[in-house]
Amino acid sequence: DVPVLISEDIVISQPAKILNFLRKQKYNADYELSAKQGADTLAYIALLEEKLLPALLHTFWVEAENYCGVTKPWFASRIAFPLSLYLPGKMSREALNRILLTRGGPPLYSLTEVEAQIYRDAKECLNLLSQRLGTSQFFFGDTPTTLDAFVFGFLAPIYKVCFPRVQLQEHLKHLPNLCRFCDDILNCYFRVTVSGHSPAGQDTADANLQKLTQLVNKESNLIEKMDDNLRKSPQHPPRKLTTLKLAAGGEESSPSNRLSP
Amino acid sequence: AAAEPWPENAELYQQLKEEQILLSDNASSLAVQAFLKMCNLPIRVVCRANAEYMSPSGKVPFIHVGNQVVSELGPIVQFVKAKGHSLSDGLDEVQKAEMKAYMELVNNMLLTAELYLQWCDDVTVEEITHPRYGSPYPWPLNRILSYQKQWEVRRKMKAIGWAGKTLEQVLEDVDQCCQALSQRLGTQPYFFNKQPTELDALVFGHLFTILTTQLITDELSEKVKNYSNLTAFCRRIEQQYFGGHDKDSSAAGAARSAKRSLLR
């Protein structure tokens, strides 16, 4: 169950419990908030979980092109074999299960209807967040609070990960204040310096993540090129992704040689 | 259909008041009744044992207006808006966003907690839910239907991560939600000051039902009673929209009969 916080001998999972633990250690971003603002935080987090999360899960784990092209290789590359063959599939099934159980009842009878509804809800949620943020830097003025952290957590993956199917990202890009909000937080708190070390001190993890993101981007570009080539010569069967991954280093030029007419 | 005015014979369907209806369904039904009363639209409550199966979405309550059937508060609010009645027109965009967020909070925490208590707490399930849910049907159908529903609800709870929670944690969540609602309400008469909105109807539906339904223990209603402005809010809406004199349509009548039949 991620994320997990390990502090000395204590292991805590789930965001709410981690935040409680940090608050008891006197780290509290909501200290300056009024009671009503604290209540608003809870309400907006509920809104995110109900309206935005299903579409987010769908984009990452259920949408076939996104899952096969980006999410699965990304996760599988960091999980040891043979778990890498099983775990991403399990997470994908759990995501679909969650979407169908919470949003999939009648009168929506097919998966496409459910998908249409959850993306409509997600876009409405993004609009509401944009209206609420307005022109201020953070949701409650000039200093970030728990709500900013939650909203950033939900928005940043949509904003930054390069998927083949990106309808949510395109909608987000039409809301400039939310994009500015994400960029601000990324620059302030997630800056990675040229040498690959972040000022917060998470050196190797961040550098690896950056390399991984680049690798994933390169792979999805390659996949696009492959698709184009395949479309020109339909009699050749599509190549499996695994062979592409292994061959990515040395044989980048050969696919185009082999498949060109 | 949208252009037609609201007819006099509009009906709201729910399960049987005395023997069958459960906490969560009663709360949803009361919320819709409160909303329609706030819009000044006449509605007649009809109790049927198979209301859940008649509903287009499988959930109660649903309203039958003219030749249209609409279920659940969200779609009903939109349907009523299409007919030209709305409680939230006076709100600006930021307030509308806040209202939607608080409605999700109530659905996310209060409704889920009610469902958890009814279907995942073994004592409550044995003593209250199973006997009530299948009561209009003969054995073995009554047991089969309740087990089927229980299995469905438990699957959903597992998918959203509530299956691992203990009753204490669920009551903690209810307390947090009530605290947030209480802080938002403050000393105002309604959540958005002078005029009630669908959020007021939804909160009233859930809190009033929790306060007036007798369960195995009083822990759930005690959590709400801790916040005096919430109990005053419920009392105020009950007196204003449900009257005290008309026992048949009053909210207190509905909830009191549920309470009477739950007393063992």
Side-chain angles (χ1 to χ4, degrees):
Chain A
D1 206 23
V2 282
V4 174
L5 180 72
I6 304 179
S7 164
E8 291 159 355
D9 289 332
I10 311 168
V11 177
I12 313 158
S13 64
Q14 288 178 14
K17 291 188 189 156
I18 295 178
L19 288 177
N20 269 341
F21 172 77
L22 290 171
R23 241 169 249 144
K24 288 188 188 136
Q25 307 285 320
K26 311 272 194 261
Y27 291 100
N28 187 1
D30 299 341
Y31 195 67
E32 306 279 323
L33 294 185
S34 70
K36 181 183 169 309
Q37 288 172 323
D40 283 351
T41 302
L42 217 59
Y44 276 100
I45 291 175
L47 183 71
L48 286 173
E49 281 180 5
E50 288 283 311
K51 297 282 180 189
L52 194 52
L53 183 59
L56 189 61
L57 284 176
H58 187 274
T59 307
F60 268 73
W61 293 100
V62 181
E63 175 68 63
E65 286 184 34
N66 293 349
Y67 172 64
C68 295
V70 180
T71 319
K72 193 161 125 184
W74 192 5
F75 274 73
S77 66
R78 300 294 286 173
I79 305 172
F81 181 86
L83 214 53
S84 59
L85 298 176
Y86 168 69
L87 211 54
K90 176 166 176 262
M91 290 167 84
S92 169
R93 280 189 298 276
E94 275 171 6
L96 181 61
N97 197 26
R98 183 175 174 149
I99 293 172
L100 288 179
L101 281 179
T102 49
R103 310 304 296 280
L108 305 167
Y109 287 102
S110 71
L111 187 57
T112 30
E113 286 174 6
V114 177
E115 286 169 10
Q117 179 65 36
I118 59 179
Y119 276 102
R120 261 199 300 268
D121 286 341
K123 287 173 187 168
E124 198 200 324
C125 180
L126 290 176
N127 293 343
L128 291 175
L129 287 173
S130 178
Q131 275 156 11
R132 175 67 183 75
L133 181 62
T135 48
S136 31
Q137 196 184 4
F138 296 109
F139 277 89
F140 292 115
D142 296 327
T143 45
T145 57
T146 309
L147 180 60
D148 299 287
F150 265 89
V151 173
F152 174 76
F154 277 85
L155 292 186
I158 303 173
Y159 185 42
K160 283 294 177 180
V161 180
C162 295
F163 282 120
R165 301 289 216 103
V166 285
Q167 52 168 315
L168 216 48
Q169 191 183 71
E170 277 162 12
H171 189 88
L172 184 56
K173 291 201 169 136
H174 288 310
L175 301 166
N177 60 348
L178 289 182
C179 296
R180 190 251 316 145
F181 171 79
C182 288
D183 286 327
D184 279 349
I185 295 190
L186 280 169
N187 286 332
C188 274
Y189 299 99
F190 289 91
R191 208 179 324 124
V192 175
T193 59
V194 175
S195 61
H197 292 268
S198 79
Q202 297 181 59
D203 32 339
T204 24
D206 271 352
N208 281 345
L209 186 63
Q210 210 184 17
K211 273 189 224 144
L212 202 64
T213 321
Q214 285 165 350
L215 186 64
V216 164
N217 288 339
K218 218 185 346 176
E219 279 196 75
S220 44
N221 287 340
L222 269 171
I223 291 165
E224 271 172 12
K225 237 192 283 178
M226 293 273 327
D227 269 350
D228 280 349
N229 286 336
L230 277 168
R231 255 175 244 125
K232 288 180 206 144
S233 54
Q235 62 271 27
H236 292 275
R239 298 177 109 215
K240 291 221 175 73
L241 279 176
T242 41
T243 40
L244 180 70
K245 191 164 174 282
L246 290 168
E251 297 180 10
E252 277 184 37
S253 51
S254 47
S256 45
N257 286 341
R258 252 181 264 172
L259 290 175
S260 56
Chain B
E4 287 166 10
W6 189 268
E8 283 299 316
N9 61 349
E11 289 166 334
L12 179 141
Y13 286 81
Q14 63 171 43
Q15 293 109 328
L16 304 175
K17 237 187 284 194
E18 299 273 334
E19 316 89 18
Q20 189 190 17
I21 199 166
L22 294 173
L23 180 62
S24 55
D25 294 330
N26 203 7
S28 306
S29 175
L30 199 56
V32 172
Q33 288 178 50
F35 173 72
L36 291 172
K37 286 207 197 294
M38 287 170 184
C39 291
N40 245 326
L41 297 169
I43 191 86
R44 193 167 67 92
V45 178
V46 177
C47 296
R48 290 272 186 280
N50 60 341
E52 226 181 346
Y53 302 102
M54 286 200 278
S55 161
S57 72
K59 297 200 175 77
V60 288
F62 66 93
I63 58 173
H64 180 204
V65 176
N67 58 354
Q68 303 254 331
V69 180
V70 189
S71 66
E72 294 183 78
L73 185 64
I76 290 176
V77 169
Q78 281 174 337
F79 176 75
V80 165
K81 192 165 175 194
K83 288 210 178 285
H85 306 268
S86 171
L87 294 178
S88 50
D89 276 343
L91 302 179
D92 64 38
E93 294 301 326
V94 175
Q95 286 176 315
K96 279 193 189 150
E98 245 185 65
M99 183 183 77
K100 297 214 167 104
Y102 275 95
M103 286 176 80
E104 290 306 328
L105 179 68
V106 173
N107 281 332
N108 198 341
M109 286 213 167
L110 275 186
L111 181 62
T112 318
E114 287 164 9
L115 284 171
Y116 179 93
L117 191 61
Q118 277 167 199
W119 293 103
C120 301
D121 176 45
D122 293 322
V123 181
T124 313
V125 166
E126 260 318 299
E127 300 214 5
I128 297 185
T129 314
H130 273 321
R132 280 181 76 83
Y133 187 75
S135 59
Y137 304 104
W139 188 89
L141 188 59
N142 54 356
R143 293 305 258 179
I144 294 174
L145 289 175
S146 343
Y147 276 116
Q148 190 183 44
K149 180 81 179 179
Q150 182 179 14
W151 182 76
E152 256 178 57
V153 174
R154 285 199 178 180
R155 246 180 87 197
K156 184 179 161 183
M157 292 289 155
K158 202 163 150 220
I160 59 175
W162 276 60
K165 287 196 181 186
T166 62
L167 189 59
E168 284 73 35
Q169 285 168 329
V170 170
L171 291 173
E172 256 309 302
D173 285 341
V174 170
D175 189 48
Q176 225 185 14
C177 181
C178 292
Q179 190 184 38
L181 290 171
S182 174
Q183 282 163 354
R184 178 67 183 78
L185 182 63
T187 48
Q188 297 168 152
Y190 301 108
F191 279 92
F192 290 96
N193 207 10
K194 296 286 181 343
Q195 297 299 325
T197 58
E198 44 264 36
L199 174 62
D200 299 276
L202 183 64
V203 172
F204 169 74
H206 282 275
L207 293 186
F208 190 86
T209 312
I210 292 177
L211 286 171
T212 52
T213 307
Q214 179 112 357
L215 296 167
I216 304 286
T217 62
D218 281 333
E219 288 173 316
L220 191 59
S221 53
E222 288 301 318
K223 293 286 176 194
V224 179
K225 282 186 195 152
N226 281 335
Y227 300 97
S228 55
N229 63 345
L230 292 180
T231 45
F233 170 79
C234 291
R235 213 172 293 128
R236 197 182 318 123
I237 295 202
E238 190 209 350
Q239 278 169 355
Q240 191 166 1
Y241 293 100
F242 289 87
H245 46 273
D246 189 1
K247 277 284 156 59
D248 279 339
S249 66
S250 77
R256 223 176 286 130
S257 52
K259 185 178 176 173
R260 220 180 293 126
S261 58
L262 286 168
L263 286 170
R264 297 248 180 264

